[in-house]
């Protein structure tokens, strides 16, 4: 909320206090001031009221004239050159004398007035137009000089006369629980308490009312929706521009002046926090207003010129014919105050905050009025506010006071809270005495009485009954005024050790980053197009979790895989001329459960009906490093072909498992076709084989499907993997040491020729199961043969953990292995 | 041959051998010399052939002499071998020289995302103060996200957390803060409780340099007997000191949050201008860091903890905010860009 320093100073004496000091006090007193800005122009005197005595033509120019201006009775009239055409002798006008600072009327820049020669004639000052004085939206704004009232005294200071002083605007963060402080008076009360000066309440005086409007009635259909409703009838109003000070203050807080009536309702809304609405009473039908829910199919053309379809959730004000306003939110266009209006029905009421919020939400309207009703207005203050507005209307629009019609009750219950002073000790380790509590709280309208039992009985003012209802609320109120900074700092007693965090995520991060992949974090809220890779991935719509109120299509549905995000990340980097793009992400994927025991009307729904599972996924695009050590691959080291990248990706996965102490011997790979993110011929599903021989799927890896690569514009084949960390989490054994045997290891190479259709793993498994003395089997080379055959060379490591193996023993094992391979795979051997 | 003649021959062999050794300058000729004098057909062996002609008495004496000379030659050979070896090593070292400024070879390492780094740091600092990390779902129910946190439906405080609602049901939403994790934990634990949670939250906001529709929060809560506001100040000051590596001036500014009372916003002196005012702090000299307060008695009661017996404090803060402050990141979108030029700086 914008708070005008000038306006504020009407209710608290701010002499000797700067706007920044007030801002600091408010900030440390729970009302954060985000910034302090200057409003209005920096206009300086001497700037006085003068009278035009003579107007003569300029000897050297047609469009400008010479004037003689008198600025006081004693001294001689001075000569001022003027180009405006609207001046006549006898007018009172603002005169800027040499030394004054006004504004350039074209661009608002500073204009310093001095004696000057204008076409050979000396001018001793300047007659001012409204823009030159920083008066922007004046209703009579024209090209000419500002003409003042004839009765104005010569020599009067124009800055004071027109209220041209600079104002400072404090931008106060509104607090959702403090509707009472969404007003100048509310913040003035806080400031008064914080700087320890008295609060001055706004004044009004009402004459006796006439009988105008005595037949009017108001009806509230449901007191829950509207506890209190008042309507003041006012006759004989003259619509016109607002007085300068009201217009200026409204502008200062960002409201556009409209006319005196509308401005006064806005002024009181801002001043007291009570929203109000003025109807042109002649336009209303039936001399009766009803507060009720809208009927289905009812409509209202609102003040902002929009047609609104209403429903029974919306609370409205209706005359005998139709809806004329949305209660607490916005009025209707038809009963708007216009230039022809002469009589008013001025509504001031208290509406249910939740109902106003609901109405505003449904219609998509937030107004200054709804903001305040939602936070709660003080029912006890409604009538005062109405009287204040009526007073101003009588004063500035010549309104004649008619009847005040009311319905409902504006009485508030007296509420008091018992406060134990020991609570300050318990919650903040400080001692606060009852007189301190009294001194801190009474400027805010609380009153305290001491009870005999070391407690205080505290009466809550009506305007604070919404946010202060419990002892703890009082404790907070006292502490913030006493000063949080004075609460002594200590530490909790060190009685607990934290349970260690499961470091799975960090193990994965370290393993993958050590292997050269960069970690990234990607949005989990994606577009439907990315979720399905532009319809290439079939999805079960029932299982998706999507948001009902997305701000953009980009963030609409929770992801079901980490892969599309990584593909987009590769494309993004590719477009930044990066070539080797290796990335991984650890994150959740989301799914609705199949069967939901939805109890939608339950009060405390605790089950979300969804699953969130943690995954890790990675992508490799660009070159792989050249592999050193044993390299069975076919490609020469410079070419880096795509099938190598598949096995490189497989290596990343196996290294990761190895870091997690999951033996690669327990992994199984199967060719897949149903996972549509991957190339069907170059992808695999990874399984974990437990000791009981059961398998669990851990995830997938392989080349990104060429169709997807094309849709996203991947330049090169990219390889990706995605693994389920929820399952991996359950598999990690803690390592236990196997004895390191000291007997020598015998190494033999074995070249096995088999037909192409036989997978490497079948060969390896037969070798492994054919000898108990084998401790390791490695594939060291692979090359194709003619006749649809291939040759696989393995390096076999034999060891007997108890004794040294003889050459004969090893040869016996080799024979066994060869025999098995021959009988099971028809393998042949070469030396 | 007589003893004397043989002795003479021996002396001659010795002399020649030493002479040969002296002039030797190459390692591979060393073996030739050994063979020439000590080999089976060597000069010394040749002399020893004459041994048979000597008398029984003369043999041992001569044998002894011959052995002495053999040992002498062997010793000299060995000595010369060491000299030559040293010489050859020197020669090798003086020629083998590489350009050590050529680039390193090997896999480039990957980098760990700044949000991972800051998250680990936060969890470990609070871990040191006894707070155990817990997790909870990102898809939440209205109850845990709002109702149990003292924010009933139609409370305007819900405005400040524009919430995404989902197709799953009217009460199922994307959590707008991580405090719900604490509530789920409070249902299962009894005081004393010290937990923190860190995770992803969602707010229905436009993407800007400072806002993203999802971000991360970390929340902590401590519940025990005799827990005070001063302890809250102590714990958070300590956190700030360790995270930023130096004690920073802080202030606790009153604020309002539905689930704490009293509530405060914690500001620290600006890291960039030390309080004198700069663009980052909006010329205020202070940076808003986090929200905190004493746990509202309603929240304790909702979790079946007696607010008369126990009290507690809690705080919540944006993880991105701290990462941005600590690493000087000026646009939140960098964190979700996957841009290698960004990632490789961490
Ligand atoms: Zn700064």
């Amino acid at each position: 909320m914008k708070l005008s320093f000038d306006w504020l100073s009407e209710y608290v004496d701010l002499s000797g206090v700067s706007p920044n000091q007030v801002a600091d006090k408010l900030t440390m007193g729970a009302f954060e001031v985000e910034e302090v800005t200057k409003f209005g122009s920096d206009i300086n005197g001497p700037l006085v009221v003068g009278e035009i005595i003579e107007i003569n033509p300029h000897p050297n120019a047609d469009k400008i004239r010479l004037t003689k201006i008198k600025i006081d009775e004693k001294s001689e009239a001075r000569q001022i050159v003027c180009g405006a055409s609207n001046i006549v002798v006898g007018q009172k006008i603002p005169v800027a004398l040499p030394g004054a600072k006004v504004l350039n009327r074209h661009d608002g820049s500073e204009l310093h007035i001095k004696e000057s020669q204008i076409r050979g004639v000396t001018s001793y000052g300047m007659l001012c137009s409204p823009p030159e004085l920083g008066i922007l939206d004046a209703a009579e704004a024209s090209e000419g000089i500002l003409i003042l009232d004839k009765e104005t005294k010569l020599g009067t200071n124009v800055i004071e006369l027109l209220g041209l002083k600079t104002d400072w605007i404090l931008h106060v963060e509104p607090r959702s629980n403090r509707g009472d402080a969404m007003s100048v008076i509310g913040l003035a009360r806080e400031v008064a308490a914080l700087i320890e000066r008295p609060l001055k309440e706004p004044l009004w005086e009402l004459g006796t009312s006439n009988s105008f409007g005595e037949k009017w009635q108001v009806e509230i259909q449901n007191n829950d929706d509207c506890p209190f409703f008042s309507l003041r009838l006012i006759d004989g109003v003259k619509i016109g521009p607002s007085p300068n000070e009201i217009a200026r203050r409204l502008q200062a807080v960002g409201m556009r002046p409209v006319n005196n009536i509308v401005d006064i309702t806005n002024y009181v809304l801002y001043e007291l926090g009570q929203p109000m609405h003025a109807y042109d009473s002649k336009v209303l039908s039936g001399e009766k207003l009803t507060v009720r829910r809208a009927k289905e199919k009812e409509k209202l053309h609102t003040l902002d010129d929009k047609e609104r379809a209403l429903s029974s959730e919306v609370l409205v004000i209706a005359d005998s014919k139709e809806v004329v306003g949305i209660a607490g939110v916005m009025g209707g266009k038809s009963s708007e105050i216009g230039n022809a209006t002469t009589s008013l029905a001025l509504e001031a009421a208290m509406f249910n905050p939740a109902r106003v919020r609901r109405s505003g939400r449904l219609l998509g309207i937030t107004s200054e009025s709804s903001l305040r009703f939602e936070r709660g207005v003080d029912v006890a203050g409604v009538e005062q506010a109405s009287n204040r507005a009526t007073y101003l209307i009588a004063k500035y629009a010549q309104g004649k006071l008619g009847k005040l019609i009311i319905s409902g009750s504006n009485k508030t219950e007296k509420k008091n809270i018992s406060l134990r002073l020991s609570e300050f000790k318990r919650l903040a380790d400080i001692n606060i005495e009852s007189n301190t509590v009294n001194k801190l709280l009474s400027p805010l309208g609380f009153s305290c009485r001491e009870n005999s039992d070391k407690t205080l009985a505290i009466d809550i003012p009506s305007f604070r009954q919404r946010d202060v209802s419990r002892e703890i609320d009082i404790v907070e109120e006292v502490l913030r005024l006493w000063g949080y900074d004075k609460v002594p700092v200590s530490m909790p007693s060190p009685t607990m050790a934290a349970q260690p965090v499961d470091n799975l995520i960090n193990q994965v991060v370290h393993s993958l980053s050590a292997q050269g992949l960069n970690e990234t974090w990607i949005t989990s809220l994606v577009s439907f197009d990315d979720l399905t890779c532009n319809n290439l991935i079939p999805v079960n719509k029932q299982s998706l979790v999507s948001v009902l109120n997305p701000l953009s299509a980009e963030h609409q549905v929770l992801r079901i895989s980490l892969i599309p995000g990584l593909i987009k990340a590769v494309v993004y980097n590719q477009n930044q001329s990066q070539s080797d793009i290796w990335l991984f992400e650890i994150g959740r994927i989301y799914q609705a459960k199949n069967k939901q025991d939805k109890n939608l009307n339950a009060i405390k729904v605790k089950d979300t009906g969804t699953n969130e599972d943690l995954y890790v996924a990675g992508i490799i695009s660009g070159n792989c490093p050249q592999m050193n050590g044993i390299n069975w691959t076919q490609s020469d080291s410079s070419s880096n072909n795509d099938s190598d990248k598949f096995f490189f990706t497989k290596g990343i996965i196996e290294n990761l498992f190895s870091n997690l102490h999951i033996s690669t011997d327990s992994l199984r790979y199967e060719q897949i076709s149903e996972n549509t993110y991957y190339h069907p011929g170059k992808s695999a599903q990874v399984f974990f084989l437990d000791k009981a021989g059961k398998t669990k799927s851990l995830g997938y890896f392989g080349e990104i499907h060429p169709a997807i690569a094309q849709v996203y514009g991947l330049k090169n084949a990219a390889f990706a993997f995605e693994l389920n960390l929820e399952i991996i989490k359950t598999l990690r054994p803690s390592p236990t040491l196997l004895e390191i045997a000291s007997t020598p290891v015998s190494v033999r190479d074995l070249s096995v020729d088999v037909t192409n259709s036989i997978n490497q793993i079948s060969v390896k498994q037969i070798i492994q199961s054919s000898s108990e003395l084998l401790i390791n089997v490695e594939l060291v080379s692979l090359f194709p043969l003619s006749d649809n055959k291939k040759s696989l060379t393995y390096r076999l490591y034999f060891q007997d953990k108890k004794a040294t193996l003889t050459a004969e023993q090893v040869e016996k094992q080799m024979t066994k292995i060869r025999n098995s391979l021959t009988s099971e795979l028809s393998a042949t051997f070469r030396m | 041959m007589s003893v004397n003649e043989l002795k003479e021959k021996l002396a001659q062999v010795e002399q020649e051998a030493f002479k040969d050794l002296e002039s030797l300058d190459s390692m591979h000729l060393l073996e030739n010399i050994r063979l020439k004098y000590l080999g089976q057909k060597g000069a010394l062996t040749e002399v020893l052939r004459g041994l048979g002609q000597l008398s029984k008495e003369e043999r041992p004496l001569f044998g002894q002499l011959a052995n002495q000379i053999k040992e002498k030659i062997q010793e000299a050979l060995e000595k010369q071998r060491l000299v030559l070896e040293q010489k050859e090593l020197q020669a090798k070292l003086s020629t083998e020289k590489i350009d050590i400024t050529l680039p390193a070879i090997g896999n480039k390492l990957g980098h760990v995302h700044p949000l991972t780094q800051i998250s680990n740091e936060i969890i470990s600092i609070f871990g040191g103060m006894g707070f155990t990390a817990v997790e909870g779902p990102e898809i939440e129910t209205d109850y845990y996200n709002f109702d149990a946190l003292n924010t009933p439906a139609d409370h305007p405080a819900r405005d400040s957390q524009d919430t995404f609602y989902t197709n799953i049901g009217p009460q199922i939403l994307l959590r707008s803060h991580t405090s719900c994790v604490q509530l789920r934990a409070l249902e299962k634990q009894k005081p004393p409780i010290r937990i923190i949670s860190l995770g992803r939250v969602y707010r229905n906001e436009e993407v800007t340099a400072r806002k993203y529709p999802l971000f991360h929060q970390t929340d902590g809560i401590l519940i025990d007997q005799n827990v005070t506001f001063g302890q809250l100040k102590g714990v958070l000051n300590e956190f700030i000191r360790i995270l930023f590596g130096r004690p920073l001036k802080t202030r606790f500014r009153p604020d309002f949050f539905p689930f704490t009372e009293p509530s405060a916003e914690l500001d620290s002196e600006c890291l960039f201008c030390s309080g004198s005012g700069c663009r980052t702090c909006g010329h205020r000299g202070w940076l808003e860091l986090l929200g905190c307060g004493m746990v509202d008695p309603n929240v304790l009661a909702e979790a079946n903890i007696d607010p008369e017996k126990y009290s507690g404090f809690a705080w919540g803060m944006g993880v991105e905010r701290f990462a941005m402050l600590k690493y000087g990141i000026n646009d939140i979108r960098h964190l979700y860009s996957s841009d290698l030029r960004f990632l490789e700086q961490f």
Side-chain angles (χ1 to χ4, degrees), chain B residues 269-287:
Chain B
E269 70 178 88
C270 177
L271 293 163
F272 305 96
C273 64
S274 300
S276 60
C278 68
R279 257 189 68 192
T280 309
C281 59
H283 303 281
R284 285 188 277 183
W286 294 96
L287 291 173

Side-chain angles (χ1 to χ4, degrees), chain A residues 548 596 598 600, chain B residues 165-173:
Chain A
L548 301 175
Q596 291 173 26
K598 273 189 209 166
L600 298 179
Chain B
Y165 285 86
T166 71
N167 61 328
I168 304 298
Q171 309 214 25
I172 310 299
L173 44 80

